[in-house]
């Protein structure tokens, strides 16, 4: 959730740092949206239901339409989740394409060549492209309790709101299972067959993965896990509160490194900023690192203090997406990977 205006550390800017992490490197995530065009991935869309459509979002706002939305525009992570349920979108905004044209990690299995990208980076949202899609509804997430729509620019939000109603799914200060259920309900309302073999198998896999992670943490309660994100000048250590994945992992028994409330204060409770000289402030056996393109990836970190960390030397570093794609299909592997890391981890701290 990087913010190109990082120097102006507003509440929205802090959230743009990573649901907890990764403030500095937004521009590295830029992709060119000029090649993005065309209709949405219509062939994947479940058969539309006839009749009126109603959905109450996490702002307690109810959208009522005469028919099920056909022209959906969504934040890329939400679009990726809906794709997993067979629901296509016409347009997306948020980190969608890399500079080489390939899909960003937040796009999941979306065919990014078949959706119109109306904004690929923070504060980029083409109102003209959006209007041209004749949107029925805009869907995105929310990272605060004020109902701020994620990646919808403050400067144009009123103009955008006039073009179509919006749906906001909260991913703030709750466990992953809650927004997962909400997106599941949203997909069902849009025509998804949630009784299909694919969806039921994905949900079962998620439940099994949760049980596996709980068992792993019970077997190795002393394994300490640090959630981090790397930028050029700062290493961010996330607290386990506020972020949906970390809150859920903690509920399953994961023993997280926890910065003090005072250390988290500057970011509104999300993360602590460390200089690279102080990256060894906390002991950890496993490190889970922000895998979004806005963050420097572990294999590209050259800092000597990083390379000397016991978890790094032991090869006990895995990825983490602070903005999980909210489908059971995409969230199950996150639990499985962490469970495996804890199962195999040696106590090195």
């Amino acid at each position: 959730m990087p913010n190109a205006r990082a120097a102006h550390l507003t509440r929205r800017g802090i959230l743009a740092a990573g649901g907890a992490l990764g403030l500095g490197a937004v521009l590295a995530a830029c992709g060119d949206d000029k090649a993005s065009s065309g209709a949405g991935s219509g062939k994947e869309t479940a058969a539309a239901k006839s009749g009126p459509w109603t959905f109450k979002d996490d702002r307690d706002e109810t959208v009522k339409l005469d028919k099920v939305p056909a022209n959906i525009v969504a934040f890329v992570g939400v679009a990726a989740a809906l794709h997993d349920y067979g629901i296509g979108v016409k347009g997306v905004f948020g980190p969608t394409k890399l500079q080489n044209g390939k899909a960003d990690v937040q796009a999941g299995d979306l065919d990014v060549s078949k959706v119109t990208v109306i904004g690929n980076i923070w504060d980029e949202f083409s109102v003209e492209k959006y209007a041209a899609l004749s949107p029925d509804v805009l869907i995105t997430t929310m990272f605060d309790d004020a109902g701020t729509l994620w990646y919808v620019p403050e400067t144009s939000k009123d103009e955008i709101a006039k073009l179509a109603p919006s749906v906001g799914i909260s991913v703030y200060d709750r466990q992953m299972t809650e927004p997962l259920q909400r997106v599941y309900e949203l997909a069902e309302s849009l025509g998804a067959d949630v009784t299909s073999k694919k969806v039921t198998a994905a949900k079962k896999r998620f439940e099994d993965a949760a049980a596996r992670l709980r068992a792993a943490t019970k077997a190795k309660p002393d394994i300490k896990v640090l959630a981090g994100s790397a930028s050029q000048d700062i290493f961010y250590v996330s607290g386990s509160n506020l972020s949906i994945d970390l809150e859920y992992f903690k509920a399953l028994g994961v023993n997280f490194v926890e910065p003090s409330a005072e250390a988290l204060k500057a970011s509104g409770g999300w993360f602590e900023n460390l200089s690279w000289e102080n990256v060894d402030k906390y002991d950890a056996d496993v490190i889970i690192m922000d895998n979004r393109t806005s963050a420097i990836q572990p294999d590209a970190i050259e800092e000597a203090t990083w390379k000397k960390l016991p978890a790094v030397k032991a090869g006990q570093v895995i990825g983490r997406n602070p903005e999980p794609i909210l489908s059971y299909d995409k969230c199950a592997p996150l639990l499985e990977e962490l469970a495996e890391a804890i199962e195999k981890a040696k106590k090195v701290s």
Side-chain angles (χ1 to χ4, degrees):
M1 306 167 217
N3 185 353
R5 301 169 298 162
H8 182 52
L9 201 57
T10 60
R11 175 182 177 86
R12 189 172 173 86
I14 287 170
L15 293 176
L21 304 170
L23 182 60
V26 59
L27 294 180
C30 295
D32 187 354
D33 72 345
K34 292 180 181 178
S36 304
S37 61
S41 43
K43 68 178 182 180
E44 72 202 324
T45 306
K49 297 186 294 184
S50 60
W53 182 78
T54 300
F55 190 83
K56 185 176 182 180
D57 76 358
D58 291 337
R59 299 168 295 179
D60 288 329
E61 295 184 10
T62 301
V63 177
K64 296 181 180 180
L65 300 174
D66 292 337
K67 59 181 180 179
V68 176
N71 296 342
I72 300 170
V73 175
F75 174 69
V76 62
V78 175
L82 292 177
H83 169 89
D84 289 343
Y85 289 110
I87 302 298
V89 304
K90 289 292 182 68
V92 297
F93 53 96
T96 304
K97 288 186 176 183
L98 305 178
Q99 290 181 334
N100 62 10
K102 293 183 179 180
D104 188 279
V105 66
Q106 291 182 253
D109 293 332
L110 276 178
D111 184 341
V112 297
S113 70
K114 294 184 178 180
V115 291
T116 298
V117 182
I118 61 178
N120 200 55
I121 60 174
W122 183 260
D123 247 5
E124 179 182 83
F125 191 112
S126 172
V127 179
E128 292 76 15
K129 283 186 178 182
Y130 181 56
L133 292 174
S134 300
D136 294 322
V137 67
L138 180 149
I139 308 172
T140 187
T141 50
M142 302 181 296
F143 279 88
D144 60 25
D145 54 9
T148 305
L149 297 177
W150 191 236
Y151 264 79
V152 174
E154 290 288 332
T155 54
S156 54
K157 66 178 183 179
D158 293 338
E159 187 178 2
I160 292 167
K162 294 176 183 178
L163 295 171
S166 60
V167 168
I169 300 296
S170 179
V171 289
Y172 174 72
D173 194 18
R174 61 199 62 206
Q175 294 181 24
M176 179 190 288
T177 45
E178 293 182 53
L180 262 176
Q181 179 63 25
R182 293 293 284 144
V183 172
Y184 175 93
E185 294 166 355
L186 174 63
E188 183 178 22
S189 77
L190 293 169
D193 179 7
V194 296
T195 65
S196 70
K197 184 177 180 180
K198 177 183 177 181
V199 173
T200 54
K203 194 170 184 180
K204 176 64 163 55
R205 181 182 175 186
F206 178 86
E207 293 166 352
D208 290 345
R212 179 181 175 184
L213 180 54
R214 188 186 296 277
T217 61
K218 187 175 181 180
K220 292 187 173 182
D222 294 333
I223 294 297
K224 297 177 70 174
V225 178
L226 182 148
S229 182
S231 70
Q232 183 175 352
D233 300 315
I234 299 173
F235 185 81
Y236 303 89
V237 178
S238 178
S240 65
N241 292 328
L242 304 184
S243 297
I244 59 171
D245 59 334
L246 303 187
E247 286 202 13
Y248 186 50
F249 298 159
K250 184 178 180 179
L252 293 173
V254 175
N255 180 11
F256 279 111
V257 168
E258 297 283 6
S260 68
E262 185 63 27
L264 296 170
K265 188 176 180 180
S267 70
W270 291 95
F271 53 84
E272 177 181 2
N273 297 353
L274 295 179
S275 66
W276 283 104
E277 290 77 13
N278 296 315
V279 74
D280 57 356
K281 177 178 179 178
Y282 297 106
D283 293 329
D285 303 297
V286 173
I287 301 176
I288 56 176
M289 288 290 288
D290 186 345
N291 69 357
R292 295 169 302 166
T293 49
S294 57
I296 298 174
Q297 297 307 299
D299 60 0
I301 299 174
E302 298 295 335
E303 301 291 340
T305 48
W306 164 261
K307 293 181 178 181
K308 292 178 181 178
L309 293 177
V312 175
K313 292 172 69 175
Q316 296 177 174
V317 179
I318 64 171
R320 172 210 172 203
N321 188 343
E323 295 181 74
I325 294 171
L326 293 169
S327 70
Y328 291 104
D329 182 75
K330 292 297 182 292
C331 286
L334 306 181
L335 275 68
E336 292 168 346
E337 186 176 13
L338 182 53
E340 181 178 12
I342 293 174
E343 290 165 353
K344 293 181 177 179
K346 297 177 181 178
K347 184 68 179 173
V348 294
S349 65

